[in-house]
Amino acid sequence: MKALVFQGPGRIAWQDTPDPVVEDPADAIVRVDAVTICGTDLHILKGDVPEVTPGRVLGHEAVGTVVETGGDVRTVRPGDRVLVSCITACGRCRFCRESRYGQCRGGGGWILGHTVDGTQAEYVRVPFADLSVHPLPEAIDEFDAVLLADIFPTAYEVGVLNGAVHPSDTVVVVGAGPIGLAAVITAGLYSPGRIVAVDLAESRLSAARALGADATVNAGEGPEQLVADLTDGLGADVVMEAVGVPEAFEMCTRMVRPGGRVANIGVHGKPATLHLEDLWIKDVTITTGLVDTSSTPMLLRMMAAGRLPSAALLTHRFELGEMEEAYDVFGRAAETGAIKVALGGPQHTVVSLPDTSAA
């Protein structure tokens, strides 16, 4: 098959790789029909995630069709259309029993495109398939559904839930990329008083306004002053960091009110300074987190009901073989206006299933 292979910092290639095979009875092999690129993949490409070694197939988000399953898989079968979650769950360890699948200690967690080959390929092996893929309702388009593999559950769980957004809160989202925009959308479910989006790119600020932000501000044009003006000098109730750079995190801690919450979502490859000399007296709560995807079934139901405006996040579409071009466009988002790119097709050979109608 063809796959997008990491070859070291700054280097990737769409190349021939061995087809995945069932290695464990709990595995499923999925034909990839739609896949996307995450900001975390860009961090990997920069060398920010040293656990990803040369030769690894990247990617952790996909929608596809099951083509083979191991003998222990019970919830899906060949021919089923599924969402491949960015998080894999063994279902047995302490953390999985607490629905904290991101911290799985039984061989799961974030492994796809990280410690095992991922989804930016024609086919992918998904371990622990019963808990790690979700059957898709026919009503959901595959290019909409792929946004539920990572960005929506991440924004909702690590941003909105960790940040404990309440009605009437002033919420600030620093970073209006795909995760930040999903945070704007899902924060809106809790009726905050106002949502402020901060970014450097006008195209992304415009998208934030279209998706529910009440105010937007360029990161270089005084967002701290704007937040102070909007809150009578108090600061925001909730500030979410959705960039993954020290400057953004430190800005968040300066914009939060006493007793407020800072929810870090971004993937950080460099140290950020925690100014405890200012924060120790302010009763500020700072949370970090890797998504658990425990909210994915609920978000799937919301999407099927038309409650998540996901289509607005997809700005560029490519065929699967145009992976390197898609990385270039997504990596230059400030120039290209890319928010989320999706890849799919041309279609592979259709899976043949036995006729069971007479059974």
Side-chain angles (χ1 to χ4, degrees), residues 203-224:
S203 61
R204 293 189 166 189
L205 294 177
S206 177
R209 290 190 291 272
L211 292 169
D214 301 288
T216 60
V217 58
N218 188 289
E221 297 178 1
E224 296 167 53

Side-chain angles (χ1 to χ4, degrees), residues 194-209:
R194 62 173 67 88
I195 301 174
V196 181
V198 180
D199 202 278
L200 287 168
E202 178 52 40
S203 61
R204 293 189 166 189
L205 294 177
S206 177
R209 290 190 291 272

